[in-house]
Amino acid sequence: MSARLLAIPTLCQTTIIDVSTAKHYLKLASLLMLQFVVMYGGANWISAQRADIHHIYFEWETRIPLVAPMAWVYASITPLMMSPAFFLDKPQLTTLAKQMAAAMLIATAVFLIYPGTTGYDSVVHSSRAIEAIRTIDLPYNVFPSLHVALSSIIMLHLGTAVGVLGRVVLIVWMAALIASVILTHQHHVADVAGGLLLAYGCWRVITRPAAW
């Protein structure tokens, strides 16, 4: 019985999706989401009860303005999370899931050992998107930035599956995502650096596809 295929138009090309591959990724993504809710959510809750919260930022960073429209760029991690099913095969998806799971495990350990928070003014903002982010994500799991780490791991994988134009799109998207975590006041510079290092470490240590 032949595999069921779907033709999906993307920014740079038409991608043929194997339905069984999509189901495989859905299963992996469900397990990753469960891990995220338990670990990330649990660490956030535990840190909210603690008094030994650290500040990992320079004073000048607290003067960076909040740019409310960047909340939509911040939220673009959602379609990014869905994109691997359109470009990667099952072995690549499994490797991606292992790297993301490892990143969450390591980050959670750091959150619990060295809990931190942001130094921005947390006054109520008129932007519903900003307030939604603040409601969902308490300001404790800051170093390293999992938002940056998980996005970077996915981008590294997607970069092996697209052409030059696709890689340019990924680089611009990643730069915008990094800017968004700072301009929405969710993270500081050190958090971003930590997230990038975490992503690179998981990419290098855990079996990975060919480089770009």
Side-chain angles (χ1 to χ4, degrees), residues 1-211:
M1 185 176 185
S2 60
R4 293 172 59 199
L5 302 175
L6 295 177
I8 306 293
T10 64
L11 286 175
C12 304
Q13 60 187 17
T14 297
T15 302
I16 303 299
I17 302 178
D18 181 353
V19 174
S20 67
T21 299
K23 289 181 178 178
H24 178 68
Y25 185 62
L26 180 61
K27 178 181 178 180
L28 293 174
S30 298
L31 292 174
L32 289 170
M33 179 58 69
L34 177 61
Q35 180 188 6
F36 178 82
V37 170
V38 173
M39 289 189 169
Y40 190 88
N44 241 337
W45 183 86
I46 291 172
S47 294
Q49 320 306 314
R50 298 172 62 171
D52 58 330
I53 304 299
H54 304 278
H55 298 86
I56 316 169
Y57 54 83
F58 295 104
E59 192 277 333
W60 60 264
E61 295 180 64
T62 64
R63 297 192 294 273
I64 294 175
L66 186 150
V67 182
M70 291 300 286
W72 301 108
V73 179
Y74 184 91
S76 71
I77 191 175
T78 300
L80 177 62
M81 290 285 185
M82 300 175 184
S83 61
F86 298 99
F87 296 96
L88 307 180
D89 58 26
K90 286 184 179 180
Q92 290 173 320
L93 290 172
T94 299
T95 299
L96 169 64
K98 289 178 180 179
Q99 292 169 348
M100 293 175 69
M104 284 191 275
L105 182 62
I106 295 169
T108 300
V110 176
F111 297 153
L112 294 175
I113 294 171
Y114 197 78
T117 190
T118 60
Y120 302 111
D121 187 352
S122 59
V123 297
V124 175
H125 196 274
S126 59
S127 169
R128 292 183 179 180
I130 292 294
E131 288 305 310
I133 292 173
R134 290 176 175 176
T135 300
I136 296 170
D137 193 5
L138 299 176
Y140 297 109
N141 295 343
V142 292
F143 180 87
S145 168
L146 257 184
H147 204 91
V148 170
L150 298 180
S151 297
S152 298
I153 292 172
I154 294 174
M155 295 281 191
L156 284 168
H157 277 271
L158 295 180
T160 68
V162 298
V164 174
L165 178 58
R167 291 172 188 171
V168 171
V169 171
L170 291 175
I171 290 170
V172 172
W173 191 357
M174 191 67 228
L177 273 170
I178 289 174
S180 77
V181 304
I182 294 177
L183 295 177
T184 57
H185 287 183
Q186 291 302 110
H187 287 284
H188 289 287
V189 174
D191 309 332
V192 170
L196 291 172
L197 286 173
L198 176 59
Y200 184 70
C202 292
W203 170 261
R204 291 289 301 177
V205 172
I206 298 174
T207 304
R208 65 190 190 285

